[in-house]
Amino acid sequence: MNCNSANPAIKCTVSQCQHHCQNEDYCSLKCITVGTHEANPTMDQCTDCQSFSLKA
């Protein structure tokens, strides 16, 4: 992906995501959804970017 719309409000280092700006550590989405896979999250590892989409 050639990212022309890096969102400076959303930093991201997950280069496997189709929304990641490859030359910068930013997301190209206007907003993201953050969720959890735990009933009672207590650490950052318990949260997930639910806007993640695997790069083709």
Side-chain angles (χ1 to χ4, degrees):
M1 171 183 183
N2 185 7
C3 183
N4 295 321
S5 59
N7 183 341
I10 305 174
K11 293 193 68 76
C12 179
T13 59
V14 183
S15 60
Q16 296 83 358
C17 181
Q18 74 175 6
H19 306 297
H20 182 263
C21 293
Q22 296 306 309
N23 297 329
E24 306 174 64
D25 282 340
Y26 292 103
C27 181
S28 63
L29 295 175
K30 291 184 179 186
C31 69
I32 62 169
T33 300
V34 177
T36 183
H37 56 270
E38 301 284 335
N40 184 24
T42 58
M43 302 180 339
D44 61 344
Q45 293 90 343
C46 300
T47 61
D48 306 294
C49 178
Q50 295 179 333
S51 300
F52 173 83
S53 181
L54 183 61
K55 189 186 319 177

